Amino acid sequence: MLERIKKIASSFRTKSADYRAEKVQIFPFSNLSQNLAFSTGVLSNYSAYEEAYFTSVDVSTAIDLIAQFAVTEYNFTGSEGDIKKAEEFARRVKLQTRLINDVRSMLIYGNSYEYIAGEQEIELQYLNPKRVIVKVDEYGEIVAYGYTSGTEQVDLPPERVLHFAYGRIGNSPYGYSIIHQVYNLLKLKQKLELMAAILAYKMGHPMLHAKVKNPMMIPEVEKVLQNRVQTNYAATRVEDQIAIVNQIVTDEAVELTVLNTDLDLPGLVEMIKYLQSQIDKALKVPRVFYGEPEGSNRATSFNQLKTFSLFLNSIRSQIKEELEAKLFPLLGVDVEIVFDEITIDEEFAWGELAVQLFQAGIIDTNEARQLIGFPPLKEE
């Protein structure tokens, strides 16, 4: 009986070991790089994300802030000789500036790539994400980075490519853009803003109904009203001068009536504010970094800053892992890179922030005092 139990237990251990060692194919990854829908869809998305970055103040400001705050000053730890060699390399290739650009590109495209070129003297070469295809085997392991230059595609070994990916899901070889979640919201917000502008224009230029006693005068009155509309429209296109013409003089043979319409402009403004709040959440940057502390008290804003700091740390961790796994071994150095973290000390952070916002004229004295927990000054 005892021997039988031992045999059963032994069979369990063998099966368990085999299961752990076996690679399981979940998706047909090997076909991903050849998938036409993938290549055309991703490339068209890249163009849309570029457009959003260059045309949306919300997107460009958030991405630039994240890139600048994520790649702070840094230092290397390790032996003195290795640290000196790493610092010389960092100065030569302007590593901090390159990493800021890499983070910015990663947030826009979802992916950013740097090729580690050279043998004796290592160089970094930026790879355009729109020209890179990640090639994987049937188990999702990256086997090469296909880079297209002109009509030629070159396969680059994965150990020579720094790949920074944002929001990668599962074992997908690609990240996704931070703009992806807000793209439709941005388009909707732009449409509502245009609609609000049209409503505001109509409220300032209401339609008129002209009642004339002599039908023969209708063409002449129509011409007068049309000239008024055209004059007002042309005036709004002049940047340095707006002359609204509303004066129409008639005799008692013409009676003018303003056609009022119920336009819910306040409701439209509230909808725009709601969309803005959703966009702010998706882009991660607290509004206080834009100089807009309104709507948040000291406690909630401090929590937002802490959350933002953790988000920045996740980006720094990815940079650190790629550099230490691929770049530093090729440099022949055994070092770690340590980024300076933004200090979120309550008294220090809020004191510095209040001073900067006050000096920039963004907030007044009482608003600055409120940020650091002081009561407002008494009015004399």
Side-chain angles (χ1 to χ4, degrees):
M1 183 67 177
L2 183 61
E3 291 298 323
R4 186 179 177 185
I5 293 175
K6 287 182 178 180
K7 287 182 180 180
I8 294 174
S10 177
S11 67
F12 283 162
R13 285 196 297 271
T14 304
K15 290 179 181 179
S16 177
D18 290 343
Y19 175 75
R20 285 197 299 269
E22 181 184 0
K23 289 185 176 180
V24 180
Q25 181 178 352
I26 303 175
F27 300 111
F29 285 105
S30 57
N31 298 325
L32 182 61
S33 59
Q34 307 299 327
N35 189 304
L36 181 61
F38 168 80
S39 58
T40 56
V42 168
L43 292 181
S44 63
N45 285 346
Y46 280 168
S47 299
Y49 299 150
E50 281 181 347
E51 177 198 3
Y53 175 77
F54 288 119
T55 59
S56 170
V57 176
D58 292 315
V59 171
S60 60
T61 303
I63 287 179
D64 289 345
L65 275 171
I66 294 171
Q68 293 290 336
F69 278 109
V71 186
T72 54
E73 296 293 329
Y74 58 83
N75 56 73
F76 299 104
T77 61
S79 66
E80 184 176 349
D82 284 351
I83 291 176
K84 183 177 180 181
K85 189 174 180 180
E87 289 175 342
E88 290 175 352
F89 172 80
R91 283 193 298 269
R92 179 165 58 84
V93 300
K94 298 180 175 58
L95 185 60
Q96 186 174 16
T97 302
R98 297 189 74 96
L99 291 177
I100 291 174
N101 181 55
D102 287 331
V103 172
R104 183 184 293 111
S105 300
M106 177 188 71
L107 295 172
I108 295 172
Y109 300 108
N111 302 275
S112 182
Y113 309 90
E114 293 267 10
Y115 177 59
I116 307 172
E119 296 296 337
Q120 299 299 320
E121 185 173 83
I122 298 296
E123 298 287 346
L124 293 179
Q125 297 177 1
Y126 177 75
L127 302 178
N128 189 335
K130 292 188 288 186
R131 298 181 178 181
V132 176
I133 292 179
V134 183
K135 296 186 176 183
V136 293
D137 61 19
E138 63 270 27
Y139 302 110
E141 300 292 337
I142 297 176
V143 295
Y145 288 89
Y147 186 71
T148 303
S149 179
T151 58
E152 182 182 1
Q153 184 180 100
V154 180
D155 284 350
L156 305 175
E159 64 274 10
R160 282 273 179 170
V161 177
L162 300 175
H163 182 187
F164 306 109
Y166 175 78
R168 182 183 282 157
I169 299 175
N171 52 355
S172 169
Y174 295 95
Y176 68 88
S177 170
I178 195 173
I179 304 173
H180 185 81
Q181 293 179 330
V182 300
Y183 186 78
N184 290 335
L185 292 175
L186 287 170
K187 291 300 181 182
L188 179 56
K189 176 171 171 273
Q190 290 171 358
K191 291 179 180 178
L192 292 180
E193 288 172 339
L194 178 59
M195 187 182 299
I198 293 173
L199 292 181
Y201 181 86
K202 287 186 174 181
M203 291 173 68
H205 306 80
M207 294 182 65
L208 297 177
H209 173 239
K211 184 187 295 183
V212 296
K213 293 181 178 181
N214 185 357
M216 300 296 293
M217 295 177 59
I218 292 178
E220 184 178 349
V221 175
E222 284 183 339
K223 184 177 180 181
V224 171
L225 295 180
Q226 182 60 39
N227 287 341
R228 167 184 174 268
V229 172
Q230 186 60 42
T231 302
N232 286 338
Y233 175 74
T236 59
R237 296 168 62 88
V238 179
E239 295 181 359
D240 58 348
Q241 179 181 357
I242 297 179
I244 304 299
V245 179
N246 283 320
Q247 299 84 358
I248 299 177
V249 181
T250 68
D251 58 19
E252 61 182 10
V254 180
E255 180 183 344
L256 295 177
T257 305
V258 176
L259 298 180
N260 293 318
T261 56
D262 295 329
L263 303 175
D264 187 16
L265 188 58
L268 194 59
V269 172
E270 286 301 314
M271 178 59 71
I272 293 173
K273 287 182 179 179
Y274 170 76
L275 291 175
Q276 184 65 59
S277 68
Q278 298 303 301
I279 291 170
D280 293 341
K281 289 178 183 178
L283 293 177
K284 311 297 185 186
V285 181
R287 296 304 298 178
V288 69
F289 277 88
Y290 302 128
E292 300 177 12
E294 298 88 352
S296 298
N297 57 36
R298 189 181 183 196
T300 58
S301 295
F302 179 67
N303 289 334
Q304 290 173 8
L305 290 175
K306 289 181 66 176
T307 303
F308 185 57
S309 179
L310 293 174
F311 170 64
L312 296 177
N313 283 341
S314 69
I315 295 177
R316 296 190 193 110
S317 296
Q318 184 179 168
I319 297 172
K320 175 182 173 69
E321 290 170 2
E322 282 292 290
L323 296 181
E324 293 178 0
K326 297 178 181 179
L327 177 62
F328 295 161
L330 291 174
L331 286 174
V333 296
D334 183 15
V335 296
E336 293 185 7
I337 186 169
V338 180
F339 290 96
D340 295 340
E341 294 188 20
I342 300 175
T343 304
I344 309 296
D345 177 77
E346 188 166 1
E347 299 300 329
F348 175 79
W350 285 110
E352 288 291 310
L353 185 60
V355 170
Q356 291 175 9
L357 294 178
F358 176 76
Q359 290 177 342
I362 296 172
I363 60 177
D364 60 24
T365 302
N366 283 334
E367 288 172 330
R369 292 173 64 86
Q370 182 182 5
L371 278 177
I372 57 177
F374 287 0
L377 296 173
K378 295 181 179 180
E379 296 184 1
E380 297 180 357

